[in-house]
Amino acid sequence: LGLNKPISVLNIDAHADLRKTGERHSGNPFSYALKDNYLDKYYVHGLHEGYNNKYILNQLEENKQLQFNSYESILKNQESINASITAIKNHLTEEKIGLEIDLDAIANMPSSAQSPSGFSLDYIRTFIYQLKQHYTFEYVHLCEGAPKNEAEKLIVGKALSYLVQDIIKE
């Protein structure tokens, strides 16, 4: 809305956030963005196949605006960061994109849908540096941190600090 044109977005996330509309919640913001024509192209990197329902997977397969690379595919094919970025660039051809990093994508990160399986924080940090060689970010959204105690607050805070530094560093 603030850009006066639809935006392309890369979402590093275990979940596509494309659930059915009806009620607004963290599981469907991109469904609303698509519906309201705020979203041009959308790419989910690291989607966990078993934690996205059939409705979402069908949307990803059927809608040419949407594309994803599953975490399982990355593991199975031992895909490098460069190969992943090439796939993203083939879909998100603009120079400026929105960047979403859901902390759920990071293994063992205190988050809303914490998982023992996922990217390492160092992988995400390296990924950011590589992305910056190809894109400028219209916006960055770091989300879903959900620490439950003081030790977890330190982990989430420090992780967010590293990510912000990596994003703004020249």
Side-chain angles (χ1 to χ4, degrees):
L1 186 60
L3 299 174
N4 295 321
K5 66 179 175 89
I7 187 171
S8 291
V9 175
L10 170 61
N11 187 12
I12 302 171
D13 196 345
H15 311 97
D17 298 339
L18 286 166
R19 290 185 196 164
K20 292 180 182 179
T21 57
E23 295 179 26
R24 293 204 66 126
H25 50 74
S26 67
N28 66 10
F30 295 104
S31 298
Y32 278 100
L34 266 174
K35 180 180 161 216
D36 296 336
N37 295 313
Y38 296 132
L39 189 61
D40 182 25
K41 296 179 199 157
Y42 180 61
Y43 194 102
V44 184
H45 180 68
L47 176 128
H48 289 210
E49 293 173 18
Y51 290 92
N52 288 269
N53 65 35
K54 190 73 171 158
Y55 172 82
I56 292 169
L57 296 174
N58 284 343
Q59 280 192 95
L60 288 166
E61 293 295 332
E62 295 169 6
N63 187 331
K64 296 201 181 312
Q65 285 176 272
L66 312 174
Q67 211 167 78
F68 75 99
N69 193 3
S70 74
Y71 189 72
E72 291 79 6
S73 174
I74 294 165
L75 288 176
K76 183 172 75 174
N77 298 318
Q78 298 180 356
E79 188 172 296
S80 70
I81 288 176
N82 288 338
S84 292
I85 289 178
T86 297
I88 292 164
K89 283 178 28 189
N90 286 337
H91 185 65
L92 303 181
T93 55
E94 303 78 3
E95 291 179 15
K96 294 181 178 183
I97 63 170
L99 177 63
E100 301 268 338
I101 301 175
D102 191 317
L103 296 185
D104 294 347
I106 302 171
N108 300 310
M109 180 61 62
S111 60
S112 61
Q114 185 173 343
S115 173
S117 182
F119 297 118
S120 71
L121 180 59
D122 287 344
Y123 174 95
I124 299 294
R125 294 183 69 200
T126 303
F127 203 82
I128 288 168
Y129 280 109
Q130 296 300 316
L131 279 174
K132 287 174 26 175
Q133 293 179 23
H134 306 282
Y135 294 106
T136 10
F137 305 130
E138 292 274 11
Y139 78 89
V140 176
H141 183 217
L142 307 173
C143 58
E144 300 294 339
K148 294 177 181 73
N149 56 48
E150 288 305 312
E152 289 184 354
K153 286 179 184 177
L154 291 172
I155 292 167
V156 170
K158 189 104 179 207
L160 290 171
S161 175
Y162 278 123
L163 295 173
V164 168
Q165 289 176 67
D166 297 339
I167 289 163
I168 64 174
K169 217 180 261 184
E170 291 295 322

